Amino acid sequence: MPRLQREDDIVRVESNVYTVSGSNTNWIIVKDGDSCTLIDTGYPGDRDAVLASLEAVGLNPRSVAAVLVTHAHNDHIGTAEHLRALYDVPVLMHREEVPHARRDFLNQVSVGQVLAQGWRPGVLPWAVHALRAGGTTHVPVCEPEAFPVPGELDLPGAPVPLHTPGHTKGHSAYHLPGSGILITGDALVTAHPTSRISGPQLLPHMFHTDRARALDSLAVLENVDAGILLPGHGPVYEGSAKEAATTAREHATR
């Protein structure tokens, strides 16, 4: 059976909410009995780790009621099509992210852009790691679906999508009101191998489709009533969403 790389890959954040660390990226399991919502699915190379993380919390692929996508970069949808095609798991996202997930187009940092930044500390080691994990693999979601209704979704954890464009046009964060948890995806992270900053921050410029909109989207996050943030990259942040967004904005405007 596949195994996670380290015992601390899975962090139990709340009684039924887990954040899992893969290849420099995170996914979230929101459990409700023998069902769950899976938010993001790591790189293509993380597939065994995604399946192992479900097993570790007493679930399996057929337990996944839906995959919620923060955005359709390879490091977040790597296992989504596998779950959809083999287990009929719906893959849901903001309507503006649907064509991106189908790969009608690709708004993702290019190899050329990465090489141009290769002089920066951490960039080349990260790039090698990303390539090995499937960062440039063609992994479309063949039948992505837009959220069926506005507001709260009828899924484990009752997640509420929050449109936070900038990193991509259809990027969404997810609020779990009952748990006081905000899942930020790449709208706000707490660390990244290419960043020299620790704590709440935007990713470096090259990763964003529209950096100005990404900065504006911090205003969406800061108004959320949450005391725990689960980012797409980096460790759990314990503190208010307002504090985290303020810190990220300060770092971005220095």
Side-chain angles (χ1 to χ4, degrees):
M1 295 296 293
R3 291 285 178 257
L4 294 171
Q5 295 178 347
R6 306 184 310 273
E7 289 184 0
D8 60 351
D9 280 335
I10 299 181
V11 175
R12 188 175 187 177
V13 182
E14 197 258 357
S15 59
N16 288 315
V17 180
Y18 304 83
T19 183
V20 189
S21 300
S23 302
N24 290 331
T25 191
N26 304 326
W27 56 91
I28 314 298
I29 301 170
V30 184
K31 187 177 178 183
D32 184 0
D34 59 359
S35 182
C36 77
T37 301
L38 179 61
I39 302 174
D40 286 344
T41 64
Y43 278 99
D46 285 321
R47 180 188 297 177
D48 285 351
V50 170
L51 300 178
S53 68
L54 292 170
E55 179 186 349
V57 301
L59 301 171
N60 60 67
R62 297 191 185 280
S63 304
V64 182
V67 170
L68 296 183
V69 171
T70 60
H71 63 293
H73 285 162
N74 273 25
D75 55 333
H76 294 261
I77 64 166
T79 308
E81 178 61 13
H82 173 81
L83 292 170
R84 189 203 67 79
L86 268 67
Y87 302 100
D88 201 28
V89 176
V91 182
L92 308 178
M93 63 202 71
H94 189 274
R95 59 180 175 78
E96 291 195 50
E97 203 68 8
V98 167
H100 192 201
R102 280 196 307 255
R103 289 299 183 257
D104 296 355
F105 57 85
L106 179 60
N107 284 145
Q108 182 170 287
V109 64
S110 68
V111 173
Q113 288 173 309
V114 171
L115 290 176
Q117 298 295 316
W119 58 274
R120 295 183 179 277
V123 170
L124 290 181
W126 165 81
V128 171
H129 185 90
L131 287 170
R132 289 175 175 170
T136 58
T137 304
H138 186 57
V139 286
V141 179
C142 293
E143 296 180 13
E145 301 176 39
F147 302 129
V149 295
E152 181 181 302
L153 300 175
D154 185 18
L155 292 170
V160 179
L162 302 168
H163 188 208
T164 46
H167 187 62
T168 65
K169 291 182 180 179
H171 188 287
S172 291
Y174 296 94
H175 184 210
L176 306 178
S179 304
I181 291 172
L182 176 60
I183 297 157
T184 61
D186 285 5
L188 182 153
V189 303
T190 56
H192 193 268
T194 64
S195 172
R196 300 301 93 187
I197 302 170
S198 297
Q201 60 188 283
L202 294 182
L203 285 167
H205 284 69
M206 68 177 174
F207 293 111
H208 298 291
T209 300
D210 187 331
R211 171 80 172 192
R213 289 191 79 189
L215 188 59
D216 289 344
S217 285
L218 291 174
V220 176
L221 301 180
E222 70 183 351
N223 290 320
V224 177
D225 183 15
I228 299 175
L229 275 62
L230 307 184
H233 304 276
V236 175
Y237 177 82
E238 296 187 56
S240 74
K242 184 175 181 61
E243 292 169 347
T246 298
T247 300
R249 185 179 292 107
E250 290 172 349
H251 283 145
T253 54
R254 285 176 184 170

